[in-house]
Amino acid sequence: MGRTPCCNVQGLKKGAWTTEEDQKLSAYITQHGEGGWRSLPEKAGLSRCGKSCRLRWTNYLRPGIKRGEFTNEEEEIIMRLHAVLGNKWSAIAKQLPMRTDNEIKNHWNTRLKRIVAEKGKDNLITRADIENLVAKNGIGNNAETEKSPMKNLNVVESKGSTFKLLNDVASKLKASGSIVSLINQQVVKCNSTEANSVSSPTNTTTTTSTTANTPANLLNRVATTLNSPKSNSLGAIKAIFSRTLEGSTVSGSSDNSFSEVGMGIEDTSDERSSPESENAVHVSIPFSSSTRLLNKMASKFALMNHVQAVVGGSTHMSKPPVLEPNHLDDWSQEISHLGGISGTCKDETSNQFDMVFEPDHQDHEFLLEVGCEDRKDKGKVCNEDSELIRNLSRETDSNEQVLVFTSNSSSSYEGSSHIEVVVSDLEAADNWEDCVNFDEFFDAATLE
DNA sequence: AATGCCCACAACCGCAAGGAA
DNA sequence: GTTCCTTGCGGTTGTGGGCAT
C-alpha cells in the first residue's frame, strides 16, 4: 500500500511548538473544527505536517485536557486497568477522559511501571511461601484440613496478565491462610449485614439458591454466573461479589462506587438488562483489597470471548442433565452441589484458563465443559481423575502451568467434574458488549 | 563553574485499520 | 478489487531541566 510519510517534506518544521504556532493552530481549529489534518497546516499558515498538528492539538491544545500531577486515584485506576488491558493506552485513557493516552503512557513508563514492578515483586507468592504456610497451618494432617484448597497450591512467578491475576489470588490466599477462611470471614460479615438491612434480589436466576453460603457454594455461584447469558453475566458477577464478599460495607444500589468491578470500563448493559444489577448491593469502600482482587477475577472472566458451554453427565448419574439456556434455575440447582474449585492456566499465550469443579456429593457429579473446540479430546481429559491432573501440574513444573487452588478430595469421590474456559481473544475484547459472547451457550452434549 | 547523568515530557515515526475514490 | 488518504495507536526518540560529582 506504499504511502509516502506525511512528515518528510522538506522545509517543514519539527520539534517543540512555539506559542505563536499554538495560537495559529488553536485559532484555526476553533473556527473550522477538527479534521482535514493534511491540508490544515497550509490553511492555518503553519510550516508543520498535518500529523504534527493533530498530535499537538489532541495531546496539548485541545480544551478540557487535564494536565499536571496525577492523583493517587488516577494512578490506581491506571495500574488496575493496565493489569487487565496491558499497553492499550487509548482504552485506558477513555476511562480518564481528561487525560490523554500519551500522557498516561509517559506517566506509566516513567513512574507507574516501576511502582507496579516493585509491588508485584513483593506480592508474588513463591513455592516456599506456600510450603511454609501449609506447614504452619498443618494442612493435610487431619480430615478437615485434608480438604483445604491450599494443599496443592502451586504458584508460578511469571510475567503476563493471567499469571498476575492468578498470583493475586494466591497472594490473597497467602494473606488469609486459606480460601475457606477468607470467604468464611466474608460470609459471616455478609450474613450479619443481610439480616439487618440488605434486600436480596427477587428474580435472579443464579444467586437465589436456598443452599447455605458455604465457600464452595459462593465460588460455584460465581462460576455459574459466569455462564449466564451475555446481558446478565457481568452484572450478576458484580452482584454476587458485592453481596457476599463485602457485606459489611454495603450500601444502596444507586451508589456508583462499585464501578470498579468493571475495572473502570463502561458497562451499561447490566444496568439496562440485568435483574441482578437492579437489586445489587454495591460496595461503598473503593479499592478495598478483596474487592479489587475479585474485581480482577470478574473482569478477567468477563473478557472471555466466544465461550461455549457444554453440560454433560458423569459416571454417577443415570442420565446426564441437558440444560437449556432458558433453564438457568436448573443449572443453578445442579451446580450448587459442587464442592470445590481449582484452576490451571495452561497457556498464557493462548489465554487458556481451566477450572476444575470437584463435587462434594457423588450423586451430583456431572461435567461442565466450557469453550472446548474439540469436545472428544476434552471429554477424555474431563474424565481423568483430578488427582492425575494435579500430578501433571506438579510434574510439569513449567512456567506455563499454574495450579491456583484446588481441593484435595480425591478420597471421597471417584472421577471429577471439569470445567474448562478458553479465552480466545482476550486482548481484542476491549468492548464489554463483545466481551462475553455466549453465542452457543448451553449447547447440550453427552459424554461417553 | 563545568560536566555528566537521570528523569519527565513532548514530539516523532512507523504501522495498521477503515473508508472513499 | 485496488489504490490512496485519513486517522488512530503504540513504541521510540529528542530535549530540557534538575541534580550530583
Side-chain angles (χ1 to χ4, degrees):
Chain A
M1 200 164 68
R3 174 167 55 94
T4 55
C6 69
C7 295
N8 65 351
V9 181
Q10 295 281 333
L12 289 185
K13 189 180 175 188
K14 293 167 76 173
W17 281 65
T18 65
T19 307
E20 184 186 0
E21 287 176 314
D22 284 345
Q23 287 172 349
K24 281 184 179 177
L25 182 59
S26 295
Y28 182 85
I29 294 176
T30 302
Q31 189 175 355
H32 299 93
E34 296 182 35
W37 296 107
R38 181 170 284 259
S39 60
L40 183 147
E42 188 180 352
K43 294 175 182 173
L46 291 163
S47 295
R48 296 273 184 174
C49 72
K51 199 170 184 175
S52 180
C53 293
R54 182 175 60 81
L55 280 173
R56 182 63 179 173
W57 174 257
T58 57
N59 288 338
Y60 199 87
L61 298 175
R62 185 162 46 96
I65 292 179
K66 182 180 176 185
R67 308 192 63 78
E69 288 282 306
F70 280 76
T71 65
N72 291 338
E73 187 180 5
E74 284 176 321
E75 291 185 336
E76 182 81 18
I77 290 170
I78 292 169
M79 286 188 281
R80 288 191 294 115
L81 285 171
H82 188 273
V84 176
L85 299 171
N87 294 355
K88 304 288 185 187
W89 304 118
S90 62
I92 294 172
K94 282 170 186 167
Q95 310 309 316
L96 296 167
M98 311 305 283
R99 299 287 189 180
T100 69
D101 54 355
N102 203 39
E103 194 175 16
I104 292 170
K105 178 176 61 181
N106 283 331
H107 192 61
W108 172 266
N109 286 328
T110 53
R111 292 186 194 178
L112 300 184
K113 187 162 68 176
R114 220 178 313 140
I115 294 173
V116 169
E118 289 169 6
K119 274 189 180 177
K121 198 177 178 183
D122 292 341
N123 288 337
L124 276 180
I125 190 170
T126 64
R127 189 179 297 274
D129 292 332
I130 299 298
E131 287 169 355
N132 289 338
L133 187 63
V134 169
K136 183 180 174 184
N137 291 342
I139 294 170
N141 292 341
N142 54 52
E144 182 63 27
T145 53
E146 185 70 18
K147 294 178 182 176
S148 169
M150 293 296 292
K151 187 180 181 187
N152 294 302
L153 180 62
N154 297 333
V155 180
V156 176
E157 296 180 49
S158 172
K159 294 179 179 178
S161 56
T162 304
F163 284 102
K164 271 188 269 181
L165 169 73
L166 298 179
N167 276 315
D168 277 348
V169 174
S171 299
K172 193 68 187 178
L173 297 184
K174 176 188 177 188
S176 66
S178 76
I179 194 158
V180 172
S181 65
L182 163 67
I183 296 182
N184 271 338
Q185 290 165 14
Q186 301 297 339
V187 169
V188 169
K189 285 184 192 174
C190 172
N191 288 342
S192 62
T193 309
E194 278 184 348
N196 293 333
S197 60
V198 177
S199 60
S200 297
T202 55
N203 58 345
T204 59
T205 56
T206 59
T207 63
T208 52
S209 168
T210 54
T211 323
N213 268 341
T214 65
N217 280 326
L218 288 178
L219 289 169
N220 285 327
R221 283 158 65 182
V222 171
T224 306
T225 311
L226 294 177
N227 298 286
S228 299
K230 178 180 176 178
S231 61
N232 288 349
S233 53
L234 184 58
I237 292 169
K238 290 180 181 181
I240 289 175
F241 285 163
S242 61
R243 264 200 313 280
T244 60
L245 294 161
E246 293 291 345
S248 62
T249 57
V250 294
S251 63
S253 62
S254 60
D255 182 356
N256 199 34
S257 61
F258 198 56
S259 61
E260 69 157 315
V261 159
M263 306 302 285
I265 294 170
E266 190 76 24
D267 174 38
T268 55
S269 61
D270 62 289
E271 291 290 329
R272 181 171 60 246
S273 58
S274 169
E276 291 286 346
S277 63
E278 288 172 13
N279 298 291
V281 178
H282 291 181
V283 176
S284 60
I285 298 179
F287 314 134
S288 67
S289 58
S290 60
T291 305
R292 186 162 57 232
L293 166 71
L294 291 160
N295 285 342
K296 272 191 165 185
M297 294 176 67
S299 300
K300 201 75 176 180
F301 286 128
L303 282 168
M304 292 170 190
N305 210 12
H306 301 294
V307 175
Q308 296 178 328
V310 179
V311 181
S314 75
T315 56
H316 296 280
M317 298 189 73
S318 58
K319 187 180 178 183
V322 179
L323 304 174
E324 300 297 331
N326 55 345
H327 289 116
L328 287 173
D329 281 324
D330 296 341
W331 199 25
S332 180
Q333 287 291 319
E334 289 294 336
I335 203 170
S336 68
H337 296 288
L338 298 175
I341 178 174
S342 69
T344 58
C345 178
K346 285 183 176 177
D347 184 353
E348 169 68 14
T349 56
S350 66
N351 292 317
Q352 282 196 337
F353 187 84
D354 298 350
M355 301 172 70
V356 179
F357 279 77
E358 296 176 344
D360 53 1
H361 303 292
Q362 290 188 24
D363 291 343
H364 293 92
E365 286 181 19
F366 63 95
L367 183 141
L368 299 171
E369 186 177 358
V370 180
C372 299
E373 290 183 13
D374 186 342
R375 290 172 190 166
K376 226 172 185 180
D377 287 349
K378 298 296 181 184
K380 289 177 184 175
V381 174
C382 294
N383 283 335
E384 297 287 348
D385 190 285
S386 63
E387 185 62 29
L388 173 61
I389 296 172
R390 282 195 293 272
N391 287 338
L392 286 172
S393 300
R394 281 195 290 266
E395 288 168 10
T396 303
D397 196 26
S398 159
N399 278 359
E400 290 188 349
Q401 191 163 41
V402 57
L403 188 61
V404 186
F405 45 90
T406 175
S407 67
N408 179 22
S409 52
S410 60
S411 59
S412 63
Y413 71 96
E414 297 175 9
S416 69
S417 296
H418 189 204
I419 182 168
E420 175 165 327
V421 177
V422 176
V423 183
S424 62
D425 191 3
L426 186 65
E427 295 300 322
D430 58 355
N431 185 324
W432 284 117
E433 289 293 324
D434 299 325
C435 285
V436 186
N437 186 350
F438 295 97
D439 285 342
E440 298 187 39
F441 183 62
F442 278 52
D443 182 13
T446 311
L447 296 175
E448 54 192 22

